[in-house]
Amino acid sequence: MAFFLACVGVLILGYFTYGVLVERIFGIEPDRKTPCWTREDGVDYINMPTWKVFFIQLLDIAGLGPIFGPILGALYGPQALLWVVIGSIFAGGVHDYFSGMLSVRKGGESIPEVVGDFMGMPARQVMRVFSVLLLLLVGVVFILGPAKLLSSMTGLNVQLLVFFIFCYYFVATILPIDKIIGRLYPIFGVLLLFMTFGVLGGLVFNGYELLPNLDFRANVHPNDLPLWPLLFITLSCGAISGFHSTQSPLMARCMRNERDGRKVFYGAMIAEGIIALIWVTAGVTFYESSEALQAVIASGSPSAVVNEVCNTLLGTFGGFLAILGVVILPITSGDTAFRSTRLILAETFRVDQAQISKRLMIAIPLFVVAFFVSRADFAVIWRYFGWSNQMLSMMVLWSAAIYLAQKGKIHWIATVPAVFMTAVDAAFILQDKIGFGLDPTLSNVASLVIAGGALATFLRYAHPVQPMGGKGTAKGAA
């Protein structure tokens, strides 16, 4: 219990210390008008109160990721808790803050455009492809996951539920953001809090010893999967997730003042980290061994774990509400995933979105493609989602590092996690069977070389940008 509370305390302390440092290094300008004032269109750029923007941001990013990812991460043991705490404060919080605030400074641009502004057209095109691919995978995963859970609760046909969720996503994608998302998300936020803290309370009041095994030296994964780099790919939401960067511009278009950025972007990441901590703790505590946890996952994906944990700890009614929360969470990320995809495609092809006919022009073919993707195997979709997700986070962190270097500011807050995620992504794709299938030792060494090369290139070419007509020679960013 003490270790869990310490982890939560460190996350909260991180918000008030490291979060403040990140904000100061970025350099907010409270008198500068944000996009909701300068580009208001009644559809995507809408002025909203800060508390509502925070809840929407949290629910956008807190889909199945901070539940399924931590459950799968719990298979490795308590090391997953350390990754959640360290990742949230020093990587995820930085990533989310800069993806949101750079979008604010760029007039609410989607993340591929933001990255392209700092890393050039090739990076812009790569980010467009990765973002659309990632968001399609997220949208599809967040259709299949809720549909399977609802089916287990109601007995309804999975494909019928998929159809209804698809219909909701389509409507939420094309309507103004304040019509459905802005009105329902605060209510869903209450359900999220009940579900999250209900599971924690159930563990405590039912007499479970929280985190009975705190041996950080042993990797207890039943399939003997390597901790590096798989834990950092599997447990993304709750530590650092590139998906968040696709969602932050949605709220960058609705946030009233730059001083709210730390609350909305960094704060939502810390809140998601707490959710992830609870589910890692549940996975490690509720089951006697990682083999027992793996057996339940194998019987029906991590949703079977959610079902068993909630019903056992909270009873029939409480378990129903908790599972309903887990159903709603991915739906609140799936709808904004498709909405973000619409906006990225609109910016790519320069299609104005004020008119509903223009929104339908993009949304209809988008959902046709998503339907065919949804027919693929869930496990395969999730594996490709994990790698493309963390590739996106890596590129956003490098963009933040370049931005800070160009401004002559302390870039290391973004550079260090960027280097780390570069090594993670390289190691995964080099050794995994969806990649090159190389020997783990060889791929790990190669990943360090790639990460080191990326750092050397950055330090060589990232310099402060001199004002027009400036005198003297710019110093290196390092």
Side-chain angles (χ1 to χ4, degrees):
M1 182 69 170
F3 186 80
F4 171 79
L5 293 177
C7 288
V8 174
V10 171
L11 280 178
I12 296 173
L13 181 64
Y15 171 78
F16 289 104
T17 55
Y18 201 73
V20 171
L21 175 65
V22 170
E23 180 183 59
R24 288 179 178 174
I25 291 175
F26 175 79
I28 61 171
E29 299 177 16
D31 296 329
R32 184 183 185 132
K33 288 189 175 182
T34 56
C36 73
W37 301 108
T38 60
R39 300 186 61 179
E40 195 278 331
D41 65 358
V43 179
D44 299 303
Y45 291 82
I46 295 178
N47 184 316
M48 289 188 185
T50 302
W51 68 270
K52 184 174 288 189
V53 172
F54 169 83
F55 266 114
I56 295 174
Q57 174 72 7
L58 176 60
L59 288 166
D60 283 352
I61 66 176
L64 284 176
I67 298 171
F68 279 23
I71 288 173
L72 294 171
L75 292 169
Y76 294 91
Q79 297 93 329
L81 295 167
L82 298 180
W83 170 230
V84 168
V85 173
I86 296 171
S88 293
I89 295 172
F90 298 106
V94 175
H95 169 276
D96 289 15
Y97 183 82
F98 276 92
S99 63
M101 293 305 295
L102 290 178
S103 178
V104 169
R105 289 286 174 88
K106 295 291 183 177
E109 287 182 343
S110 296
I111 200 62
E113 309 309 311
V114 172
V115 170
D117 289 342
F118 295 106
M119 298 183 68
M121 182 55 72
R124 189 192 308 273
Q125 301 291 23
V126 169
M127 285 293 289
R128 284 170 174 169
V129 172
F130 265 102
S131 296
V132 171
L133 173 63
L134 175 68
L135 288 166
L136 267 176
L137 295 178
V138 168
V140 169
V141 167
F142 289 174
I143 290 171
L144 297 175
K148 289 179 179 179
L149 272 174
L150 281 172
S151 178
S152 67
M153 295 166 62
T154 64
L156 293 174
N157 180 269
V158 171
Q159 294 305 316
L160 178 64
L161 292 168
V162 166
F163 172 76
F164 284 125
I165 295 173
F166 252 119
C167 290
Y168 165 74
Y169 283 177
F170 185 81
V171 173
T173 297
I174 62 175
L175 286 181
I177 197 167
D178 62 336
K179 300 304 181 186
I180 294 180
I181 294 172
R183 293 178 180 177
L184 293 181
Y185 275 35
I187 300 172
F188 293 160
V190 174
L191 190 58
L192 164 63
L193 295 176
F194 170 82
M195 179 273 296
T196 302
F197 291 99
V199 169
L200 177 62
L203 289 171
V204 174
F205 291 113
N206 282 283
Y208 286 84
E209 179 188 357
L210 293 188
L211 303 172
N213 172 28
L214 288 177
D215 183 2
F216 296 101
R217 298 168 299 176
N219 175 7
V220 296
H221 198 289
N223 296 333
D224 198 30
L225 296 179
L227 195 72
W228 171 271
L230 291 183
L231 175 63
F232 308 99
I233 294 288
T234 303
L235 207 172
S236 54
C237 290
I240 178 172
S241 169
F243 170 68
H244 295 186
S245 68
T246 67
Q247 302 302 288
S248 295
L250 294 179
M251 290 302 97
R253 299 179 178 104
C254 301
M255 193 176 69
R256 291 175 172 174
N257 194 288
E258 286 194 2
R259 68 166 63 94
D260 298 324
R262 181 166 63 93
K263 302 184 190 77
V264 172
F265 302 121
Y266 198 97
M269 180 65 245
I270 295 299
E272 189 190 63
I274 294 174
I275 296 171
L277 280 179
I278 290 173
W279 279 101
V280 171
T281 300
V284 173
T285 302
F286 187 83
Y287 297 95
E288 293 182 357
S289 65
S290 58
E291 287 78 11
L293 174 60
Q294 173 67 14
V296 178
I297 294 173
S299 71
S301 85
S303 63
V305 175
V306 174
N307 195 359
E308 183 174 56
V309 169
C310 290
N311 280 299
T312 302
L313 297 179
L314 303 176
T316 303
F317 180 70
F320 174 79
L321 289 179
I323 294 171
L324 187 61
V326 177
V327 170
I328 288 174
L329 276 176
I331 289 177
T332 60
S333 290
D335 55 10
T336 53
F338 283 112
R339 189 181 191 92
S340 297
T341 309
R342 170 178 65 80
L343 290 166
I344 290 172
L345 293 173
E347 289 178 342
T348 300
F349 297 107
R350 302 184 184 279
V351 180
D352 182 75
Q353 295 293 280
Q355 298 178 4
I356 191 169
S357 61
K358 299 291 183 65
R359 300 199 293 275
L360 289 171
M361 182 190 305
I362 294 176
I364 291 174
L366 170 64
F367 276 85
V368 170
V369 173
F371 171 76
F372 286 105
V373 174
S374 72
R375 313 297 292 177
D377 180 73
F378 179 91
V380 174
I381 292 174
W382 189 260
R383 289 172 70 84
Y384 279 101
F385 162 75
W387 179 68
S388 60
N389 182 46
Q390 295 302 52
M391 279 292 293
L392 193 59
S393 71
M394 175 198 74
M395 295 187 73
V396 171
L397 285 169
W398 279 121
S399 297
I402 292 170
Y403 167 80
L404 292 173
Q406 289 178 348
K407 295 291 184 180
K409 298 183 177 183
I410 303 173
H411 61 76
W412 293 106
I413 60 170
T415 305
V416 171
V419 172
F420 180 80
M421 293 311 300
T422 301
V424 167
D425 292 326
F428 179 82
I429 201 62
L430 287 174
Q431 68 183 257
D432 198 81
K433 64 182 181 181
I434 69 169
F436 294 92
L438 298 181
D439 174 77
T441 301
L442 175 62
S443 64
N444 289 339
V445 172
S447 70
L448 295 179
V449 173
I450 292 170
L455 175 61
T457 302
F458 168 78
L459 295 176
R460 173 67 179 83
Y461 293 105
H463 297 273
V465 176
Q466 290 292 305
M468 293 297 292
K471 297 179 180 180
T473 303
K475 292 182 179 180

